Amino acid sequence: AADLAPAGALGVFCPGVLSGPLPGPPPPPAGGAGGFGSHELLDLFARCFPAPSTAELAALRRPDGSAHPTLHADDSGPLVAEVIRTTTDPYVGRMSVVRVFSGTLHPDDMVRVSGPGEHPGDERVGALSRPYGPALHSVPYCAAGGICVVTKLATAATGDTLSSPDDPCLLPVWTMPEPQLPLAIRARARSDEDRLSVALTRLCLEDPALRVVQDSQTAQIVLWSMGEAHAEAVLDRLATRYGAAVDSEPPMVALCETLAAPAHGTGRQVKQSGGHGQYAVCEIEVEPLPPGSGFEFVDEIVGGAVPRAFIPSVEKGIRAQMATGVHVGHPLDDLRVRLVDGRAHSVDSSDLAFQLAGGLALRDALRVGGVVILEPMLTVDVCVPDTFVGAVLGDLCARRGRVTGMEPATPPALDAARTVVHAEVPEREMSRYVMELRSISHGSGQFHREPHGYEPMPRPLADTLTD
């Protein structure tokens, strides 16, 4: 093997292109068959995995955006290294697999960590090791073209650049695929909750294609993965590596409520049960606002019908009622509330009484004016070969989507012409779209989603929420 493979042929991976046909197989060795294909395999290594010294580094830039001089794989050059993987060990802790492109990395070196995340300052490199399967062997240094394991880099994540503090630079940022399949999880037992939090943090460090979102409205932990196989692998790691047993469930969509028509509401909190009572009356006018306007509170009290000290209490009670909703428990939004009248008592009126009266007034107004359920919409861009455009359009329409346009994909694909379909689709219909698109386009389709505000849900669907 040493005779067949040139020096550096088994160096660090660097994509190459085969030039010319591979030589024919050597004659079989004497004494029996064997060794077939080894010559071709080693020749493939020699062409596709060249020595690091023969490959130029990617275009570098400084953290301020200016260009950095071109570097090569020189052991004595400026330090340029990249974290290509992050993993954790129950005994060692955080371990960063680092590839050195230029210079030499030593233990206890100070390095500048650069990347898309937050990096407060320079970090000191810990012990260096060379991975041999599951074992780690300590090494005194790692020269250009080598790969080593660095322990306890606190802020360096996968894809970050390590360079000298005197000459910081930044390698091109990795383009990671966007996770599109959501899956909600919850701890199976209370004892699993603490382990689950730690496990998810470590998994996100190890897997840049995994995203964890804590939805404050639905109180769900949502894992965003690349597909079903990816999600199953993550759940398996949670159970086997971290001992966190979880149950999966479909993710819920955060809906909203708003007023259907302007209405007048009255809230009365009158209670006399011995001792200090409660007395507060307020009258409000409520009107809907355009989507995305939020909440407005207008004070139109004249003549001191409601004391100035209690007007903020009315607003606080209205906001509290908006957070819990009045129809199906979803928060209210896009309202203008005008406080127009009220009454107070010199002894029994209090902050709590006017908070309760404000909430009751809002409920009364929504009972009169009616409630509209709002659902989140997504702007979806689907890129598929032209032969699948018709199937994609039909599927989007079946998901209550509105197609807003189509255009040829740029740059054009090499294998087949592609078209990008732009549409607006309810989020409720897109939870498993990544799987459906793969089925429709035979694995050749891609899509991107972005939030696009809220729109009224059709009445037949809204009625099913209260059944």
Side-chain angles (χ1 to χ4, degrees):
D3 296 335
L4 292 175
L10 302 181
V12 179
F13 171 74
C14 181
V17 179
L18 292 177
S19 56
L22 293 175
F36 291 106
S38 60
H39 184 274
E40 290 83 355
L41 179 63
L42 291 174
D43 189 78
L44 181 69
F45 285 169
R47 298 188 185 187
C48 294
F49 302 89
S53 58
T54 63
E56 293 186 359
L57 270 70
L60 300 174
R61 60 183 178 89
R62 293 186 171 87
D64 60 2
S66 59
H68 190 281
T70 303
L71 297 178
H72 298 271
D74 184 4
D75 297 355
S76 60
L79 176 64
V80 179
E82 186 176 34
V83 180
I84 59 176
R85 186 184 178 189
T86 304
T87 185
T88 56
D89 184 87
Y91 303 102
V92 179
R94 186 170 178 174
M95 300 187 300
S96 302
V97 182
V98 176
R99 176 183 176 183
V100 181
F101 289 92
S102 173
T104 303
L105 186 65
H106 298 86
D108 295 329
D109 282 352
M110 293 297 296
V111 296
R112 175 71 53 84
V113 182
S114 305
E118 296 183 2
H119 305 288
D122 301 337
E123 291 194 47
R124 185 176 299 277
V125 175
L128 301 183
S129 304
R130 184 85 65 184
Y132 286 93
L136 295 177
H137 298 268
S138 178
V139 294
Y141 64 89
C142 184
I147 293 178
C148 65
V149 175
V150 181
T151 59
K152 300 179 181 179
L153 282 177
T155 62
T158 303
D160 286 347
T161 303
L162 309 180
S163 57
S164 172
D166 300 329
D167 187 19
C169 60
L170 184 64
L171 287 163
V173 179
W174 291 10
T175 302
M176 300 301 300
E178 183 180 2
Q180 297 285 8
L181 181 64
L183 179 67
I185 62 172
R186 53 183 174 86
R188 187 169 299 170
R190 185 173 296 274
S191 58
D192 296 320
E193 293 180 357
D194 294 337
R195 289 194 293 266
L196 179 60
S197 176
V198 175
L200 291 178
T201 302
R202 293 181 176 178
L203 284 177
C204 288
L205 289 175
E206 299 175 6
D207 189 352
L210 177 67
R211 192 175 69 205
V212 179
V213 177
Q214 177 74 54
D215 196 319
S216 59
Q217 294 190 25
T218 62
Q220 285 186 316
I221 300 176
V222 182
L223 298 180
W224 286 84
S225 59
M226 299 300 301
E228 288 184 330
H230 188 195
E232 291 176 0
V234 171
L235 296 180
D236 181 68
R237 292 176 193 170
L238 286 174
T240 58
R241 292 177 54 182
Y242 300 102
V246 298
D247 294 322
S248 59
E249 56 188 6
M252 294 186 294
V253 176
L255 304 177
C256 288
E257 302 176 12
T258 191
L259 185 67
H264 177 89
T266 302
R268 296 175 56 87
Q269 178 63 22
V270 180
K271 182 179 180 182
Q272 294 289 342
S273 59
H276 193 283
Q278 293 182 358
Y279 186 89
V281 179
C282 60
E283 298 184 11
I284 60 175
E285 298 285 348
V286 186
E287 56 184 300
L289 295 177
S293 300
F295 171 67
E296 295 182 14
F297 180 79
V298 182
D299 174 19
E300 296 184 357
I301 292 295
V302 294
V306 177
R308 290 294 170 187
F310 296 136
I311 292 178
S313 302
V314 176
E315 180 181 358
K316 185 176 180 180
I318 292 174
R319 288 184 178 273
Q321 187 63 61
M322 291 181 61
T324 59
V326 297
H327 188 51
V328 289
H330 298 292
L332 287 156
D333 203 1
D334 300 332
L335 295 178
R336 178 185 290 120
V337 177
R338 297 185 291 116
L339 179 59
V340 296
D341 198 2
R343 288 187 297 277
H345 190 274
S346 59
V347 177
D348 293 337
S349 292
S350 63
D351 171 71
L352 178 60
F354 273 98
Q355 288 188 40
L356 296 174
L360 293 173
L362 182 61
R363 294 181 66 90
D364 183 59
L366 293 174
R367 179 183 59 82
V368 176
V371 176
V372 175
I373 306 297
L374 302 178
E375 61 178 343
M377 301 291 292
L378 298 175
T379 298
V380 181
D381 301 325
V382 186
C383 181
V384 292
D386 290 350
T387 54
F388 301 111
V389 170
V392 168
L393 292 176
D395 182 72
L396 291 175
C397 292
R399 297 174 186 271
R400 298 188 288 123
R402 296 191 305 268
V403 177
T404 59
M406 294 188 298
E407 61 182 358
T410 55
L414 298 178
D415 53 348
R418 288 177 170 262
T419 298
V420 179
V421 180
H422 305 285
E424 297 173 359
V425 190
E427 185 176 346
R428 285 169 55 91
E429 308 291 340
M430 295 293 293
S431 60
R432 296 184 58 82
Y433 185 67
V434 61
M435 310 301 300
E436 301 296 336
L437 180 62
R438 289 176 184 174
S439 176
I440 293 174
S441 63
H442 298 176
S444 61
Q446 301 174 348
F447 79 102
H448 173 74
R449 71 174 87 193
E450 288 185 0
H452 186 66
Y454 285 78
E455 291 188 6
M457 178 182 290
R459 179 56 63 87
L461 288 178
D463 291 340
T464 62
L465 300 177
T466 58
D467 292 342

